[in-house]
Amino acid sequence: MRSRTVGGVAHDNEPTSGLGDGVLGGLERRNAIEAVRLRIGMAISLGMLHPGERLPDQEDVARGLSVSPITARRALTSLAEDGVLVRRRGRTGGTFVADPPNAEALRQLVVPAAETVEVHGLIDRRLLMECALAHFAALRATNEQVQHLDELTRRMAEAQSWSAYHQADDEFHRSVAEVAAVGTATTEYLKVLEQLYGYFIPYPIEQLHMSNHDHIGLVRALAARDCATAVEISHQHVDRLHRTMFVGLLEAHPVGDSSDPV
């Protein structure tokens, strides 16, 4: 059991596993359970998760959202109590998006507008750092390291859920940073990466598979020691987050307007 703070947000006192206990940072302080509630609720409001859709198993939800299993369980239970999710027992049971989900509850699960400014700032910081990492990784990658990264792109290509994809994606970007071998700068990059992962919401697997094309291109550039191409691919990959991460979607289609899928 322990307590820690990431991005100015206090975490629950509970054991961790998997990727850690990343949560929404930002201007508004919220605990880890509320952060998970918000992330799943926004994914439903933005049409990333659909009424009747089955969520991954509880342990996979925890790993996919970088939180502890206890946090995931409590958040899913709370969303079910609010009528956003439905939990069913039996062989065909599991956790599903309610059909329809409670619209009033979903309207309460929105990131404040001021907080989206912080997310864009994190994306810009990641952009600068990841381009530098790509440059040095292209100079230093060994054949064994390239093979490991290539295997991770295959894992992402074969992933059947956003949770499985996110776990491989996390390992991929951490591995590129390890290959770059830029000392303490890697620690700073990983802090930014963890903060951004705290804003990750479930995306359709088809959209994530499209994003993996950038990873595949980056591995090819590293194998060819092509620094310019590696940097350009990394630039495009991260810059795209301004439009495709939920902050861009919220700005284009605010939750609660006429385009709301709920």
Side-chain angles (χ1 to χ4, degrees):
M1 303 286 283
R2 50 93 171 146
S3 176
R4 68 173 183 147
T5 299
V6 174
V9 180
H11 290 240
D12 286 355
N13 292 327
E14 52 193 32
T16 61
S17 64
L19 300 174
D21 251 356
V23 301
L24 286 173
L27 304 176
E28 297 245 329
R29 300 175 70 87
R30 59 175 64 87
N31 65 32
I33 295 171
E34 185 59 25
V36 171
R37 282 172 44 83
L38 186 148
R39 293 157 72 183
I40 293 176
M42 288 182 57
I44 296 170
S45 293
L46 292 168
M48 302 295 185
L49 294 174
H50 300 97
E53 181 173 343
R54 189 185 190 280
L55 271 63
D57 293 340
Q58 183 174 291
E59 293 287 333
D60 285 329
V61 169
R63 286 189 286 265
L65 294 181
S66 307
V67 298
S68 73
I70 294 175
T71 292
R73 175 174 57 80
R74 291 175 176 171
L76 294 176
T77 298
S78 177
L79 287 170
E81 291 171 348
D82 287 346
V84 174
L85 302 177
V86 175
R87 310 193 81 179
R88 300 173 187 153
R89 298 181 180 276
R91 294 182 60 185
T92 59
T95 303
F96 301 80
V97 178
D99 188 7
N102 184 329
E104 182 56 36
L106 287 178
R107 277 190 280 272
Q108 305 303 314
L109 298 171
V110 181
V111 169
E115 198 165 326
T116 67
V117 175
E118 177 165 325
V119 180
H120 283 301
L122 285 170
I123 294 171
D124 286 336
R125 289 170 62 192
R126 176 179 171 181
L127 176 66
L128 180 64
M129 294 177 175
E130 209 152 293
C131 286
L133 290 172
H135 172 84
F136 286 106
L139 292 176
R140 297 169 176 167
T142 65
N143 290 337
E144 292 75 16
Q145 289 170 326
V146 169
Q147 289 173 6
H148 176 61
L149 291 170
D150 189 52
E151 173 57 30
L152 290 172
T153 66
R154 287 197 292 272
R155 278 178 52 190
M156 284 183 272
E158 296 169 359
Q160 297 300 306
S161 73
W162 51 266
S163 174
Y165 181 95
H166 178 58
Q167 293 170 61
D169 177 75
D170 176 75
E171 185 176 350
F172 180 89
H173 288 291
R174 291 175 184 273
S175 296
V176 171
E178 182 179 346
V179 171
V182 289
T184 56
T186 297
T187 302
E188 295 306 309
Y189 166 73
L190 294 179
K191 288 179 182 178
V192 171
L193 192 66
E194 181 177 358
Q195 285 180 284
L196 268 178
Y197 279 161
Y199 288 94
F200 176 85
I201 66 174
Y203 287 85
I205 192 62
E206 297 81 9
Q207 184 174 335
L208 296 174
H209 285 161
M210 289 293 294
S211 179
N212 191 40
H213 293 170
D214 290 340
H215 300 140
I216 294 170
L218 177 60
V219 172
R220 290 172 179 166
L222 298 187
R225 298 191 177 276
D226 186 344
C227 296
T229 298
V231 170
E232 180 58 27
I233 290 173
S234 295
H235 182 279
Q236 293 178 3
H237 182 69
V238 180
D239 187 58
R240 196 176 296 118
L241 293 177
H242 283 299
R243 301 182 302 279
T244 60
M245 200 169 175
F246 77 88
V247 288
L249 299 174
L250 277 175
E251 290 159 357
H253 304 288
V255 172
D257 70 7
S258 59
S259 64
D260 221 355
V262 175

